């Protein structure tokens, strides 16, 4: 499913279509009666569980219980029905109950935004950005490196453009207002986000007016030595008892001093206290208004796009209100430490620690204001990725500050006092590489690895300081591990023998021992 609006609904349609097209149907007997073209609930759980775990939008973190929950929603939304045609409830368990597909289509219709509202939103933002500056030479590809690069060709091109624009109207350096600074922050982060995601436009994903520059500027400037947001207004911070509980589990068992209770099950009680606080928050930490934005980024969470997902999430998390970003940072640090702590007692009888963290906190991180059937699976996928990469995602990107400073400098010096002196402040130019498909990524990975292994073989061959016996031993070991690469280098025994300056050894035929003939005594 490509990036765009209502991506959760599109994913629902994709999953239901795949399930309807791929779920095996056969005859079943129940209560002395045969039913054709149906399946059991257990068979559906097995098939759908495998589908979700191998889908990049959900990943291997999906549990069997979550699969059952999704099938219950299938029954509620008439994607499936029981063998008697009943649906609308969530009465489905992992058993031998029979179900079938209805004749109606299970796809959901996509709501449409009023075109006039979308047009006005984009036009207003266009007017605002044009009043400040125009960022030229943008490409719709993924940036190769973060930072700003200048080339001689681009600098000359921009120089002539600025000269031509300003020959008619020469003005002195302008003063930068606070409003100018805020608009530059908004525009820069949107440009970077659009470039990283590689989409033609962000208009269907986020409204530019949802980007609050004050939040970005505060999150960039007010951090502790560990990179966690520091709040000026302590009333927005986590309560003291929640912070103490989080520190207790994050640093377990070092934090369990004599002042803490030591009764059996103490850790579980502390964990429930933390979970209750986060689950009672009025909205998820990523906020309702940014739901579409984060759901769209979930489609980059693939092995060959992992770097893109990290960079995009890094920018998106800067958009959060400072209290939300601080809570998210502390929560991710805590659950990541708990999941990796081998000394932590079991916090659940039937569920592993990592699965428990994801299952407990996913809904308080990402959730839609309206009930969405795939919310739990999408949130679990995102929380799993945040746990693994929270240090990179929730750190402050220094390149963003540099980009803003350069653009503010352009606002001051972009108009030339004397066109003949060549004094211009060129616009920053991005450096790009083209995004490739997963198949191309795998092919390049294999070819690059083979080239490195072939280079290793050449190093062994050309190593003159290596004794002959040791070289033979290493080459024999290499031939055993990489026979195809070795055969390509030495297609015949003569070419291999030429390396050691001797003729290929020809094995002598084994002695043929004739069996003696035994004559009869007769």
């Amino acid at each position: 499913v490509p990036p765009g609006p209502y991506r959760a609904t599109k994913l629902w349609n994709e999953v239901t279509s795949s399930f309807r097209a791929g779920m095996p149907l056969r005859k079943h007997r129940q209560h002395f009666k045969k039913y054709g073209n149906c399946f059991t609930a257990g068979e559906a759980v097995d098939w759908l569980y495998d589908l979700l775990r191998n889908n990049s939008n959900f990943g291997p973190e999906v549990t069997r219980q979550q699969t059952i929950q999704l099938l219950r929603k299938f029954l509620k939304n008439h994607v499936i029905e029981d063998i008697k045609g009943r649906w609308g409830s969530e009465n489905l368990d992992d058993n031998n109950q029979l179900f079938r597909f209805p004749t109606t289509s299970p796809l959901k219709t996509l709501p449409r935004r009023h075109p006039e509202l979308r047009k006005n939103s984009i036009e207003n933002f266009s007017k605002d950005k044009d009043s400040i500056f125009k960022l030229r030479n943008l490409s719709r590809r993924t940036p190769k490196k973060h930072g700003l690069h200048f080339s001689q060709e681009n600098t000359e091109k921009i120089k002539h453009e600025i000269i031509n624009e300003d020959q008619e109207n020469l003005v002195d350096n302008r003063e930068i207002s606070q409003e100018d600074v805020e608009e530059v922050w908004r525009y820069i982060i949107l440009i970077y986000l659009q470039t990283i995601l590689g989409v033609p436009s962000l208009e269907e994903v986020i409204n530019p007016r949802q980007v609050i520059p004050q939040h970005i500027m505060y999150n960039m400037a007010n951090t502790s030595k560990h990179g966690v947001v520091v709040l000026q207004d302590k009333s927005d911070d986590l309560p003291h008892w929640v912070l103490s509980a989080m520190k207790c589990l994050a640093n377990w068992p070092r934090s369990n001093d004599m002042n803490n209770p030591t009764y059996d099950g103490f850790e579980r009680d502390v964990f429930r206290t933390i979970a209750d606080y986060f689950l009672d928050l009025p909205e998820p930490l990523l906020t309702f208004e940014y739901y579409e934005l984060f759901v769209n980024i979930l489609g980059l969470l693939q092995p060959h796009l992992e770097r893109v997902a990290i960079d995009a999430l890094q920018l998106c998390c800067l958009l959060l209100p400072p209290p939300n970003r601080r809570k998210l940072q502390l929560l991710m640090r805590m659950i990541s430490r708990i999941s990796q702590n081998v000394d932590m007692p079991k916090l659940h009888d039937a569920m592993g620690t990592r699965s428990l963290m994801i299952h407990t906190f996913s809904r308080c991180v990402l959730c839609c204001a309206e009930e969405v059937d795939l919310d739990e699976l999408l949130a679990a996928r995102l929380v799993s990725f945040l746990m693994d990469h929270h240090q990179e995602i929730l750190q402050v990107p220094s390149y963003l500050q540099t980009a803003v400073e350069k653009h503010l400098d352009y606002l001051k010096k972009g108009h030339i006092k004397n066109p003949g002196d060549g004094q211009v402040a060129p616009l920053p130019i991005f450096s790009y590489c083209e995004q490739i498909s997963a198949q191309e990524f795998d092919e390049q990975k294999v070819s690059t690895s083979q080239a490195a292994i072939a280079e290793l073989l050449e190093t062994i061959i050309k190593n003159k300081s290596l004794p002959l016996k040791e070289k033979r031993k290493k080459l024999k070991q290499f031939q055993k591990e990489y026979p195809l690469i070795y055969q390509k280098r030495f297609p015949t025994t003569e070419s291999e023998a030429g390396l050691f300056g001797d003729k290929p050894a020809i094995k002598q035929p084994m002695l043929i021992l004739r069996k003696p003939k035994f004559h009869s005594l007769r």
Side-chain angles (χ1 to χ4, degrees), residues 134 136 155-171 410 414-420 422-424:
K134 296 180 180 179
R136 300 174 179 84
T155 303
E156 293 294 329
K157 182 178 180 181
I158 296 168
K159 182 196 303 185
H160 291 303
E161 288 181 359
I162 297 178
I163 291 175
N164 293 335
E165 290 175 4
D166 294 343
Q167 280 179 342
E168 299 178 358
N169 184 21
L170 300 180
V171 294
Y410 167 72
H415 296 282
I416 305 170
K417 291 183 178 181
N418 183 5
Q423 299 284 332
V424 294

Side-chain angles (χ1 to χ4, degrees), residues 88-241:
S89 67
E90 295 189 5
N91 185 21
L92 185 147
D93 292 301
D94 193 354
N95 54 25
N96 292 323
Q97 185 180 0
L98 295 181
F99 292 90
R100 67 187 182 191
F101 291 118
T103 56
T104 57
S105 172
L107 300 183
K108 293 183 177 181
T109 57
L110 297 177
R112 293 187 178 182
R113 290 175 58 190
H114 195 280
E116 195 63 31
L117 294 177
R118 184 175 66 181
K119 180 180 178 182
N120 292 338
S121 172
I122 302 305
E123 285 181 352
N124 291 336
F125 180 64
S126 299
K127 291 178 182 178
D128 292 337
K129 71 179 183 182
D130 290 340
S131 64
I132 301 174
F133 59 88
K134 296 180 180 179
L135 190 60
R136 300 174 179 84
N137 298 335
L138 274 181
S139 174
R140 295 173 183 174
R141 295 177 179 174
T142 307
K144 181 178 181 181
K145 294 181 179 179
H146 289 308
L148 301 171
H149 307 273
F150 295 89
S151 66
Q152 184 64 28
E153 180 182 356
N154 287 328
T155 303
E156 293 294 329
K157 182 178 180 181
I158 296 168
K159 182 196 303 185
H160 291 303
E161 288 181 359
I162 297 178
I163 291 175
N164 293 335
E165 290 175 4
D166 294 343
Q167 280 179 342
E168 299 178 358
N169 184 21
L170 300 180
V171 294
D172 294 334
N173 291 354
R174 58 171 293 191
E175 294 183 359
I176 304 299
S177 66
Q178 182 63 23
E179 184 180 356
D180 292 334
V181 174
E182 293 174 359
E183 289 302 320
V184 168
W185 273 103
R186 174 188 283 123
Y187 188 65
I188 285 293
I189 200 167
L190 287 175
I191 287 295
Y192 267 104
L193 186 58
Q194 178 181 339
T195 309
I196 289 172
L197 292 177
V199 295
S201 173
L202 293 175
E203 65 183 50
E204 300 288 1
V205 177
I206 185 173
N207 187 328
R209 287 301 158 194
Q210 290 179 304
V211 178
I212 302 176
Q214 292 89 339
H215 290 170
I216 305 170
M217 296 164 66
Y218 190 97
N219 291 332
M220 292 280 292
N222 298 274
T223 59
S224 67
K225 62 179 181 179
H226 300 295
V228 179
V229 173
V230 178
L231 300 178
Q232 302 297 331
D233 187 359
K234 299 302 180 183
S235 63
D236 294 331
D237 202 354
L238 290 163
H240 175 71
W241 53 272

